[in-house]
Amino acid sequence: MSKVYIQLLIFCMFFNAIGQSKKQVYNFDSSSHHGLLITKKGLESIKENLGTIPLFDKSLAQTKAEIDAIIVEEIEVPIPKDMAGGYTHTQHKKNYDVVQKAGVLFQIFGDEKYATYIKDMFMEYAQMYPKLPLHPETRSYSRGKLFWQCLNDANWLVNMSQGYDAIYDWLSPKDRKFLETKLFKPFALFLSVENPQFFNRIHNHSTWGNAAVGMMGLAMRDNQLINYALYGLPEDSIDENAVDNDGGLIKKPGQDAGFIANIEEAFSPDGYYTEGPYYQRYAMYPFLAFSVALENTVPELKVLAYKDSVQIKAVYALIDLTDSKGGFFPLNDGQKGMSYYNNALVNSVDIAYHYGSKDPELLSIAEIQNEVTLDDAGLAVALGLKRNEIQLYQKRSVNFTDGPKGNQGGLTILRSKEDSDLELVFKYSAQGNSHGHYDKLSYSIYENGDEVIPDYGLARFVNINSKNGGGYLKENTTWAKQTIAHNTVVQNETSHFNGDFKTGSSFHSQLHFQDLSNDLIQIVSAREHNAYEGTEMLRTVAMLSPKEGIKSIIIDIFKLQSKDANQYDLPFYYKGQLMDYSVNPISESMLKPLGASNGYQHLWKEASAVTNSDLSKITWLHNNLFYTLSSKTRVGDSLLFVRQGANDPVFNLRREPGIIIRKSNARDAIFVNIIESHGTYDAVTERAENTESIIDKIDIIQNTDTYTALEITYKDGNSNLLIISNLKADSSEKHSLTHNGTSYSWEGPYYFINR
């Protein structure tokens, strides 16, 4: 049987396995090995171009200076003890980072000092590892050995596999056998066979585990490890009720496992990762690193092309999920400040460019990052920049579906078409695995990359040892995940799905309609009917410019219908200082928590007001810009002035303010709010301009099961009319409505006109 025939047979077996999501046996042909992230051809090109490719040369020089300073020091391989942020945790992270970079330097320069350092490091670990018990910290559902959780052990192995691959041919067969027998194979089996609850699931944890075992399998030429990585363990005996530390289900009945299953299940067809952009950024490194390693060693498998090249799409999705400064929107568990300057995104952008379509718009992101990876992909980007092939990356309004097949709700970003960079992020997605929050139909708003109406994000200080060892704080569960922590409706002071993960994971919101193409208005509408039994929620948000020279304003219509009378709370958290308000708030003489549970226990009630008109306004100043929330209210509605931080004696929570609009004893209700950015304040000249809202009236001219019609009147006498079809969203559906003797007819789910 010819070698070509064998390779073709392997290729067909692999794609049959992908298509049927079955665990197949793949036999790795060691003779086809060409390197993990750096190919032989790529290495030759790197050497030929050294000194002529500015950004690559700069990145290489910085890495060389960093590693040259470290390898003259004594190697430290401490006995594991600390959680994230502690000495031993940090040292083992440093070690795998140094080994990965030293491996690259050895490949490029051929200087044996790098190979010797890597070998010595490996030998230290090989002497220690066989005697290591589980990490002494017992918090994780999957305790590691070097680190407190297997996740970090997998980080270690992903990087160490690259160092091992770099010096594989330089090492003697005796040294390779020793390292593989004492260290690498036991390490990989620990992450997989000994921890199936970590390895055999759909989660960023298992993606790291799959990549770690698979990349070391490729470096070692070990078929068993490669097959475990691609298809998961054949048997895992995971309890169907087993959960992780965040309360997330480990494995659903009948669920496939392994790297291919994670590509299939974790991404929507648009490239949106169900856990949100913060964890998508984190997971993209193992996804792409292992995929590129497979691409470079067995290119006939075409893993990067799987699911219509969804991993490449995911890089674009990540860029689009950033504000105008490059920071990721903190959806679900997301730490604020994480951005596309992170090393994982440098790697992702370079790979998407090189292994994708050589998109010149990606070069503009790489130019901003001002760094490239030291491999084939980084070289391609550096050469593209050198040739000035760059084009500006255009961020536009965009919709992402959620779920493996794109049918589990989604996320829409509305972006203004003028220079103000106003952005609204509307979330109507699935639960998002264990990192998801109970925030159906929530949104956040940004201007010029700064938060205006923020999402809280996660409650955690990553790698800061003094804050719970860098792990999640209990307030992540008691506050950050709860519905009241988000800008969406809370019914009877109870979180969506009663804060139950299993229930929340069974449902998703549904897109009603959207239109991002209209020059006058961008609009999206979604519904949720499972968050509260017997209650239907429909939220429509729109971004429009009332006339030339005025910034975009945001219209927010939240319609609720229930079989019972309820209390409805709609919070708006904001950044900045209150300037003006149309109500008469009464301050509390003694601060007390707003409630007892579901996040309410973490809100101080600072003041309250009862509305006495049908239009209530709150204005605040932030970053020298004025913002006004104009609310259509009923006489007798309540406005609650709150601040986060109650029942938080160790100051884990930020002390951020908010306004809660409360409607009591209501079966059906509608919240109509308009948010506008207007005016400026110059602290040097002490001059304030356009400090007042342009909204004069908000009239709900019809609100039935079928239609909601809204008229907005501005102080200059102009107005807008917006009519929403609450039931039928087909673009070809014909509608008509008569108001005050005037008939309106249109096709599609909404009608809008400037008047």
Side-chain angles (χ1 to χ4, degrees):
M1 187 179 292
S2 71
K3 181 177 179 181
V4 172
Y5 180 80
I6 293 173
Q7 289 179 333
L8 181 61
L9 179 62
I10 291 171
F11 177 80
C12 293
M13 288 176 61
F14 182 82
F15 271 91
N16 181 61
I18 289 178
Q20 300 180 30
S21 295
K22 301 293 185 182
K23 297 180 176 68
Q24 304 287 338
V25 175
Y26 172 64
N27 295 310
F28 179 72
D29 179 6
S30 62
S31 66
S32 66
H33 177 79
H34 297 296
L36 296 185
L37 300 188
I38 304 179
T39 64
K40 290 181 178 179
K41 182 179 179 181
L43 186 58
E44 291 172 0
S45 185
I46 288 171
K47 292 178 178 180
E48 289 173 1
N49 284 280
L50 282 182
T52 68
I53 35 176
L55 189 52
F56 192 97
D57 292 335
K58 174 188 172 183
S59 300
L60 180 60
Q62 289 174 338
T63 300
K64 187 176 187 302
E66 174 194 354
I67 301 305
D68 284 351
I70 292 174
I71 64 175
V72 296
E73 300 173 354
E74 184 178 351
I75 292 174
E76 294 183 59
V77 181
I79 298 297
K81 180 184 69 172
D82 303 316
M83 279 194 66
Y87 161 69
T88 64
H89 182 99
T90 301
Q91 185 60 43
H92 290 300
K93 282 184 63 177
K94 177 182 176 182
N95 286 348
Y96 70 62
D97 182 60
V98 171
V99 163
Q100 188 274 330
K101 291 175 178 176
V104 170
L105 295 176
F106 175 65
Q107 288 173 290
I108 293 175
F109 294 113
D111 192 330
E112 291 194 351
K113 69 181 182 182
Y114 301 115
T116 300
Y117 183 86
I118 294 170
K119 175 188 172 183
D120 291 346
M121 178 80 76
F122 286 161
M123 290 299 179
E124 291 283 342
Y125 277 105
Q127 294 294 334
M128 180 180 72
Y129 192 77
K131 298 175 286 186
L132 275 184
L134 292 178
H135 194 280
E137 176 54 59
T138 60
R139 297 190 202 186
S140 177
Y141 78 101
S142 57
R143 290 162 66 188
K145 288 191 173 183
L146 293 179
F147 301 91
W148 70 283
Q149 55 178 348
C150 281
L151 173 61
N152 300 99
D153 279 32
N155 296 167
W156 186 94
L157 195 61
V158 164
N159 285 274
M160 291 300 197
S161 67
Q162 296 172 58
Y164 185 55
D165 178 71
I167 67 168
Y168 185 91
D169 293 328
W170 178 84
L171 288 169
S172 69
K174 179 181 178 182
D175 287 338
R176 289 200 296 264
K177 182 177 180 180
F178 176 78
L179 290 173
E180 292 178 9
T181 302
K182 295 294 184 180
L183 178 60
F184 296 134
K185 184 78 177 237
F187 206 115
L189 293 177
F190 170 74
L191 289 177
S192 53
V193 175
E194 296 179 44
N195 281 280
Q197 79 283 8
F198 165 75
F199 193 77
N200 258 29
R201 62 184 304 204
I202 305 300
H203 197 276
N204 75 80
H205 286 196
S206 54
T207 299
W208 274 98
N210 300 155
V213 171
M215 291 177 71
M216 185 52 75
L218 289 172
M220 291 170 54
R221 291 66 164 164
D222 189 306
N223 289 312
Q224 180 190 45
L225 297 183
I226 296 168
N227 281 286
Y228 283 169
L230 290 174
Y231 308 114
L233 303 172
E235 301 291 336
D236 55 34
S237 302
I238 297 174
D239 189 309
E240 65 178 13
N241 296 312
V243 296
D244 63 16
N245 297 98
D246 300 308
L249 194 67
I250 297 292
K251 190 177 181 183
K252 298 176 184 177
Q255 179 178 284
D256 286 338
F259 189 68
I260 300 302
N262 267 279
I263 298 175
E264 176 62 41
E265 294 293 323
F267 293 107
S268 80
D270 300 320
Y272 178 73
Y273 187 69
T274 192
E275 295 179 36
Y278 179 78
Y279 277 97
Q280 181 168 352
R281 170 271 326 172
Y282 181 61
M284 285 313 299
Y285 185 84
F287 269 122
L288 290 172
F290 187 27
S291 292
V292 168
L294 289 165
E295 196 83 15
N296 290 341
T297 53
V298 276
E300 64 270 21
L301 297 186
K302 299 185 184 299
V303 177
L304 280 172
Y306 178 59
K307 197 175 177 178
D308 194 23
S309 302
V310 72
Q311 294 183 83
I312 302 298
K313 290 182 180 179
V315 178
Y316 287 88
L318 271 175
I319 297 171
D320 284 328
L321 286 165
T322 63
D323 59 40
S324 60
K325 293 181 179 178
F328 292 114
F329 300 126
L331 304 165
N332 295 333
D333 284 342
Q335 177 163 266
K336 295 182 180 184
M338 180 56 69
S339 73
Y340 57 43
Y341 293 97
N342 180 267
N343 286 338
L345 259 292
V346 173
N347 179 76
S348 297
V349 169
D350 291 358
I351 287 173
Y353 177 82
H354 180 55
Y355 293 93
S357 60
K358 301 291 194 300
D359 183 355
E361 287 193 16
L362 289 177
L363 293 178
S364 68
I365 303 298
E367 184 179 50
I368 294 170
Q369 292 171 329
N370 198 31
E371 180 184 358
V372 292
T373 53
L374 303 176
D375 51 27
D376 298 38
L379 174 66
V381 168
L383 288 171
L385 288 170
K386 176 187 175 182
R387 292 190 290 261
N388 198 30
E389 296 170 348
I390 186 171
Q391 291 182 15
L392 181 65
Y393 192 96
Q394 298 289 337
K395 286 186 185 177
R396 302 176 178 88
S397 295
V398 62
N399 166 253
F400 294 105
T401 58
D402 195 4
K405 299 184 183 302
N407 59 358
Q408 296 179 15
L411 182 87
T412 296
I413 304 171
L414 301 181
R415 290 188 163 101
S416 62
K417 296 179 180 180
E418 67 267 358
D419 294 334
S420 64
D421 282 330
L422 197 67
E423 298 169 306
L424 182 144
V425 185
F426 183 43
K427 183 171 180 275
Y428 48 94
S429 61
Q431 180 64 25
N433 292 341
S434 58
H435 288 297
H437 290 189
Y438 302 99
D439 60 342
K440 299 303 180 187
L441 309 186
S442 69
Y443 66 67
S444 53
I445 298 173
Y446 298 77
E447 184 171 12
N448 301 323
D450 297 317
E451 293 175 310
V452 177
I453 302 291
D455 185 292
Y456 190 85
L458 55 71
R460 179 185 183 185
F461 296 87
V462 181
N463 286 329
I464 298 179
N465 196 44
S466 59
K467 287 293 188 181
N468 192 39
Y472 279 98
L473 304 166
K474 62 181 179 62
E475 288 81 9
N476 199 60
T477 299
T478 61
W479 166 253
K481 285 179 179 284
Q482 300 299 323
T483 306
I484 192 59
H486 303 85
N487 306 298
T488 188
V489 164
V490 185
Q491 178 176 300
N492 300 327
E493 299 188 18
T494 303
S495 287
H496 296 170
F497 310 110
N498 202 28
D500 180 70
F501 173 79
K502 191 172 184 179
T503 304
S505 297
S506 301
F507 303 104
H508 57 83
S509 301
Q510 295 176 325
L511 178 67
H512 182 42
F513 71 85
Q514 69 172 334
D515 183 1
L516 308 182
S517 62
N518 193 324
D519 289 336
L520 297 177
I521 182 172
Q522 299 178 79
I523 187 168
V524 57
S525 182
R527 64 174 74 253
E528 170 59 48
H529 55 268
N530 293 298
Y532 299 110
E533 185 178 357
T535 298
E536 299 275 342
M537 301 193 296
L538 176 66
R539 193 173 204 177
T540 304
V541 291
M543 184 180 288
L544 62 97
S545 293
K547 66 177 183 178
E548 187 176 350
I550 295 178
K551 290 183 180 179
S552 292
I553 67 172
I554 291 165
I555 302 173
D556 175 12
I557 306 169
F558 208 135
K559 182 179 175 66
L560 299 114
Q561 295 176 291
S562 181
K563 62 181 182 181
D564 300 311
N566 301 293
Q567 172 186 288
Y568 299 117
D569 289 342
L570 177 56
F572 289 93
Y573 298 99
Y574 62 90
K575 295 282 191 175
Q577 179 68 42
L578 279 182
M579 291 286 107
D580 194 14
Y581 31 83
S582 64
V583 295
N584 296 309
I586 300 173
S587 297
E588 299 293 318
S589 58
M590 181 178 295
L591 290 181
K592 294 181 180 179
L594 186 60
S597 60
N598 296 308
Y600 281 75
Q601 75 275 24
H602 289 304
L603 287 173
W604 292 119
K605 181 183 176 184
E606 295 187 327
S608 62
V610 177
T611 59
N612 55 11
S613 71
D614 62 0
L615 183 63
S616 300
K617 292 188 176 186
I618 304 290
T619 298
W620 66 95
L621 177 67
H622 180 52
N623 284 341
N624 295 320
L625 298 175
F626 291 92
Y627 298 93
T628 295
L629 170 67
S630 299
S631 303
K632 179 68 174 178
T633 50
R634 305 174 306 177
V635 174
D637 285 347
S638 298
L639 292 186
L640 308 176
F641 295 75
V642 299
R643 191 173 301 271
Q644 300 153 17
N647 288 300
D648 179 27
V650 294
F651 298 92
N652 283 335
L653 295 175
R654 300 187 296 272
R655 269 48 181 169
E656 295 178 345
I659 303 292
I660 297 177
I661 304 171
R662 173 171 287 179
K663 296 181 183 293
S664 300
N665 195 30
R667 190 171 65 87
D668 297 343
I670 184 169
F671 293 86
V672 177
N673 294 281
I674 294 176
I675 298 170
E676 55 182 308
S677 170
H678 58 90
T680 59
Y681 181 73
D682 189 324
V684 175
T685 63
E686 298 180 328
R687 182 176 180 177
E689 295 184 347
N690 299 325
T691 62
E692 295 185 357
S693 163
I694 63 173
I695 305 299
D696 185 52
K697 287 195 303 182
I698 302 174
D699 291 314
I700 301 173
I701 60 177
Q702 184 161 325
N703 183 34
T704 64
D705 290 349
T706 307
Y707 300 110
T708 297
L710 188 70
E711 185 174 40
I712 304 165
T713 305
Y714 302 97
K715 289 180 178 179
D716 64 3
N718 292 321
S719 65
N720 297 134
L721 178 66
L722 175 62
I723 307 173
I724 306 298
S725 170
N726 296 325
L727 299 178
K728 297 179 179 180
D730 192 282
S731 60
S732 62
E733 186 77 27
K734 294 183 178 180
H735 303 270
S736 63
L737 181 147
T738 300
H739 174 66
N740 286 343
T742 302
S743 295
Y744 302 95
S745 299
W746 72 96
E747 288 187 2
Y750 76 97
Y751 174 85
F752 176 78
I753 187 172
N754 278 322
R755 298 191 298 188

